Amino acid sequence: MTRATETGATGRRWYHRIGPGLITACVVIGPGSILTSSQVGAKYGYALSWVVVAAVAFMMVFTVLGAKLGVVAQQPAGKLVADRAGRWLAVLIGLGVFFISASFQFGNNLGVHSAFKVYVDFDYTVVVFNALSIGFLFAFKNLYKAVERLMMTFVGLMLVAFAVNLFFAAPDAGEVLAGFIPGRGAEIDLTLLGLVGTTFVITAAYFQSYLVRQKGWDRAEMRDGMRDARVGALIMALITLMIMTTAGAVLSGRRLEDVAHVARQLDPLFGEKGTALFCLGLFSAAYSSFLVNSMIGGFILADGLGLSSKPTDTAPKVLTTLVLLTGMFVALWSIQKGQNPIPLIVAAQAATVLASPLMAGALLWLTNRRDVIGDDRNGVATNLLAGLGFLLLLAMSIYAATGPIPGRIAQWREQSVLPGAWQSDDASYRLVISEDRAVLSEDGSAATYAWDIVPSQTPKLLRLYRVESQGEIRLEPTRTFAYRIDDSTMTLEEIPRGGEPPGELPPPDEPSDRVLRLQRAQAE
């Protein structure tokens, strides 16, 4: 490599000419991706490392497309879409992205809350950080430069924190390398799709076209934009793989409910220093994603509405503030009331079904138009990879619309019915179900479980996971019951481990020796 190539057209070394890609990496590595990566590692070990590589490869392709669109077209994506397809499509994309950002922003709030909750019992941490974020938006004249510097700091903190945790975990190198062999691992399920969905984030790739313009790049810096996008994608892959590998090494077979639970599980294994480092990485991921995710929703909607997408203008900042406040109020409601966030997750998934393929298609379409890109249109190889990525997003959206979204709605409805106290007529058997725990008392002895349900099964299944003294929850259910609820009566039949559920449970007025009937009771 010659010195001219190394320093580029601006005379600065390549590592001084990156930034938008790091910001994109920060928004992808948030509390959701940390929890999903940890869950995948705990469930499958290192076997799905190849899936991370594939998802990051697709993310890299679309991030490069976004960077190319920004530096060559020198117009915001919303205006390009509105001029060529109509304002309605630009508004539809903007609303979809805004809704996704606002819906998932509460997860970033809960991530910040979880990082501090391990050490400080204070429920209003998110208020402080939202106030700081809103102040950050309006305080800096050069908002992009301030965000870039802040994100570089957070990327460094995440790399150090998760790398040290990986060192403590000391995984087997041979087993880790075997995980990169394609095709190994697991069947397609929500865990696998969640890993892809939190790594291949099309909204962040689309926003890359805005970031490169905010940095001031034009066609002369296109090579810098391509390199920057690739560096950002590699950082995403590295951090995701470090988190997943750590969980595979030390949390195998454990059920992880949230990011705070991951931190608590590391404490007896790594000690206070290891847990503190994880919380530092968690906070860095949560707050970086926290800020940039809200900017994605605010800036793309402002552009779609034909207002402005410049960081110096008021409209995108106001809409970004609206995203921040929506996430904060929902998080506070969840924290204070202990409410289940499933309805909001369902809403966000429903928005993603429409918005993700739409944005991928728009990006692919714009970067193939000569009147937008000129001679820098996509080549055959790029179109092939981007087309496969588009089909992947479309398939995931169809799957979500026909499976997980209806399933989540059914689960939400059912989980609103189960909580409360249930007991047998002679009071020898009592089941008390709260938001996230179930206490089962049998003949004077009681045990605490985590619980979930399978509402799509007939009959429905209640699964109990034993909670150990250190808070550890095993991945496989300890006990499984088929159940049905008729008014104030719950009919239960325990399913032996490895056994098949019964075809049907008897109605409450039919005598049966194989089932247990519980009545609603007063909570103690």
Side-chain angles (χ1 to χ4, degrees), residues 421-460:
W422 305 82
Q423 71 178 26
S424 58
D425 290 338
D426 61 2
S428 63
Y429 197 101
R430 183 177 176 87
L431 177 63
V432 180
I433 301 176
S434 63
E435 188 70 30
D436 59 351
R437 291 290 184 267
V439 178
L440 180 59
S441 302
E442 300 174 274
D443 299 322
S445 62
T448 300
Y449 300 87
W451 66 279
D452 66 14
I453 58 174
V454 184
S456 59
Q457 192 86 12
T458 304
K460 300 165 186 172

Side-chain angles (χ1 to χ4, degrees), residues 171-390:
D172 182 273
E175 293 182 8
V176 171
L177 291 175
F180 290 97
I181 300 174
R184 297 178 73 250
E187 60 186 13
I188 296 176
D189 62 6
L190 281 178
T191 306
L192 178 61
L193 293 178
L195 180 63
V196 176
T198 55
T199 308
F200 182 15
V201 184
I202 194 64
T203 53
Y206 193 88
F207 192 58
Q208 187 81 357
S209 66
Y210 294 81
L211 291 172
V212 295
R213 293 182 63 247
Q214 291 176 15
K215 189 172 178 65
W217 284 346
D218 56 23
R219 188 184 293 266
E221 283 85 25
M222 185 159 67
R223 180 174 293 181
D224 291 343
M226 304 299 102
R227 181 186 291 115
D228 170 73
R230 295 182 184 107
V231 169
L234 289 173
I235 289 173
M236 292 178 221
L238 182 60
I239 293 176
T240 301
L241 288 169
M242 286 194 296
I243 296 168
M244 195 168 77
T245 303
T246 300
V250 299
L251 299 177
S252 180
R254 303 187 189 189
R255 178 183 168 90
L256 304 174
E257 298 181 307
D258 52 41
V259 285
H261 188 218
V262 178
R264 290 194 299 270
Q265 291 295 293
L266 291 175
D267 189 61
L269 299 164
F270 293 165
E272 293 184 2
K273 291 182 179 179
T275 304
L277 280 168
F278 178 84
C279 288
L280 176 63
L282 169 60
F283 167 73
S284 300
Y287 194 64
S288 58
S289 180
F290 185 101
L291 182 61
V292 181
N293 174 70
S294 58
M295 289 176 63
I296 290 175
F299 277 69
I300 293 179
L301 178 58
D303 183 27
L305 293 173
L307 301 175
S308 172
S309 62
K310 295 179 180 178
T312 53
D313 292 337
T314 302
K317 293 181 179 180
V318 169
L319 291 174
T320 298
T321 301
L322 185 58
V323 176
L324 286 165
L325 292 177
T326 301
M328 181 189 75
F329 285 122
V330 173
L332 284 174
W333 172 71
S334 179
I335 293 167
Q336 293 293 320
K337 303 295 184 181
Q339 294 294 324
N340 197 315
I342 284 179
L344 193 61
I345 294 172
V346 171
Q349 286 177 333
T352 305
V353 165
L354 173 65
S356 291
L358 191 61
M359 296 179 75
L363 199 52
L364 189 55
W365 171 62
L366 289 172
T367 52
N368 274 291
R369 289 186 64 105
R370 188 178 293 276
D371 62 332
V372 176
I373 295 294
D375 293 335
D376 295 305
R377 289 182 302 165
N378 300 338
V380 175
T382 299
N383 277 330
L384 179 61
L385 289 172
L388 289 173
F390 171 76

Side-chain angles (χ1 to χ4, degrees), residues 125-148:
T125 308
V126 296
V127 176
V128 176
F129 282 95
N130 274 277
L132 289 173
S133 295
I134 294 170
F136 190 94
L137 280 173
F138 290 93
F140 292 95
K141 186 175 181 180
N142 189 336
L143 178 61
Y144 171 82
K145 190 173 183 179
V147 170
E148 182 182 275

